[in-house]
Amino acid sequence: MARVITVGAAQLGPIARSDSRARVVERLIAHLREAKRMGCDLVVFPELALTTFFPRWYMTDQAEIDSFFEREMPGPETQPLFDEARLLRLGFSLGYAELTEQDGRPARFNTSILVDRDGRIIGKYRKVHLPGHREHEPWRRFQHLEKRYFDVSDTGFRVWRAFDGILGMCICNDRRWPETYRVMGLQGAEMILLGYNTPVHNPPAPDHDNLSLFHNQLVMQAGAYQNGCWVVGVAKAGDEENVPMIGGTQIIAPSGMTVAATRGDGDELAVAACDLDACASYKTTTFNFAVHRMPQHYGLITERKGAEPPP
């Protein structure tokens, strides 16, 4: 019998800086209810789904910065989301800013969790590839201070046996790096859950702006195909605090083909029935790592007559 998991990619439209957690959680719950109506088993929410994308502002007041972070999960404001998911028997993945303590000091991560149908957290991932910059750069139209506000991951890329398959998670900028998919692919990942908040405008490279959606789709499709797994990429979309976000939420098959996608830039659900057994067609043929992958040769340099030595 095929192992089919029906996934809802729950795109969010803009979240204002003034929006309360309660208001945002109501939107997430609405997604859960629609996903249940459409027969979903798992709902995937974007990166930093509970707040506006706060790294676009330079802040020096630590209390103000920490107001965007969750000190516990679930907490009083997010418990209704877990309760509704448990009632509906739906799993979900959620991105948020996590404030915790390590070795007696505060630690802050860009985090995603995987929650089962019983409302239990069964997986946690903290973002590895933090983009942007650390110090205030006034020349930018908006800031991108993830390096300032977040610590680099201490989890690395892992997978979890859940929903009758092998699932992994990554966040936003992680999707641009082939190692992200490959590390999870080497662990047998059959589906990767990926939330992001990506502005259309790239201040250091504005010539990339009209390629933003293309690059988004390119890296996710390549990651899916080259590792024989499903990729569920879910956006925060629309014009958020005068910063247009790219959207482009989609569910990608192990073939690299997009099988479901959102059409607009608001709250919208893209749904696909994902056959996890379809991964085998790629994992046992073209991308059979055990048979065809040759990492022991990757560092070899073949000397050619007349060729310049490497720098």
Side-chain angles (χ1 to χ4, degrees), residues 226-268:
Q226 292 173 344
N227 294 279
C229 67
W230 293 84
V231 171
V232 184
V234 186
K236 173 97 69 59
D239 191 326
E240 184 176 274
E241 298 288 0
N242 297 315
V243 177
M245 313 289 278
I246 66 169
T249 294
Q250 57 201 277
I251 300 173
I252 301 165
S255 63
M257 296 294 293
T258 295
V259 298
T262 54
R263 297 182 178 182
D265 57 7
D267 289 15
E268 186 179 346

Side-chain angles (χ1 to χ4, degrees), residues 99-109 126 151-154:
L99 174 56
T100 186
E101 186 173 297
Q102 293 184 343
D103 301 322
R105 70 165 187 89
R108 298 170 178 84
F109 298 101
R126 291 165 172 162
D151 293 307
V152 176
S153 175
D154 62 353

Side-chain angles (χ1 to χ4, degrees), residues 4-11 29-43 88-90 251 259-262 267-274:
V4 175
I5 175 172
T6 301
V7 178
Q11 178 173 288
I29 289 173
H31 264 315
L32 289 181
R33 290 171 178 165
E34 177 67 6
K36 181 66 175 181
R37 187 186 70 80
M38 298 183 71
C40 292
D41 305 297
L42 174 66
V43 178
L88 297 174
R89 301 291 297 164
L90 277 176
I251 300 173
V259 298
T262 54
D267 289 15
E268 186 179 346
L269 196 67
V271 175
C274 304

Side-chain angles (χ1 to χ4, degrees), residues 111-248:
T111 296
S112 184
I113 52 172
L114 180 61
V115 179
D116 70 9
R117 295 181 179 91
D118 293 321
R120 295 180 297 118
I121 297 173
I122 57 174
K124 176 180 285 188
Y125 165 73
R126 291 165 172 162
K127 189 173 181 179
V128 170
H129 298 103
L130 298 176
H133 51 108
R134 193 177 303 277
E135 302 303 329
H136 187 218
E137 297 183 0
W139 60 268
R140 291 174 178 256
R141 187 189 307 170
F142 52 86
Q143 303 296 296
H144 200 126
L145 291 160
E146 287 193 58
K147 283 181 167 62
R148 183 180 187 88
Y149 298 142
F150 296 117
D151 293 307
V152 176
S153 175
D154 62 353
T155 61
F157 295 110
R158 298 178 53 201
V159 299
W160 293 268
R161 293 190 176 274
F163 301 94
D164 203 27
I166 302 174
L167 277 61
M169 291 184 284
C170 63
I171 300 173
C172 198
N173 190 46
D174 289 327
R175 74 193 189 278
R176 303 189 189 280
W177 303 90
E179 297 90 345
T180 296
Y181 307 93
R182 182 49 46 88
V183 171
M184 287 185 276
L186 288 168
Q187 297 175 72
E190 296 172 309
M191 179 176 285
I192 294 174
L193 314 178
L194 194 178
Y196 58 93
N197 282 223
T198 301
V200 172
H201 177 52
N202 182 348
D207 52 312
H208 297 184
D209 290 1
N210 65 345
L211 297 171
S212 294
L213 274 171
F214 166 70
H215 288 155
N216 177 61
Q217 187 164 9
L218 173 69
V219 294
M220 294 194 296
Q221 288 181 314
Y225 170 60
Q226 292 173 344
N227 294 279
C229 67
W230 293 84
V231 171
V232 184
V234 186
K236 173 97 69 59
D239 191 326
E240 184 176 274
E241 298 288 0
N242 297 315
V243 177
M245 313 289 278
I246 66 169

Side-chain angles (χ1 to χ4, degrees), residues 300-311:
L300 296 182
I301 299 172
T302 302
E303 293 186 4
R304 297 189 301 273
K305 186 176 180 180
E308 290 292 326

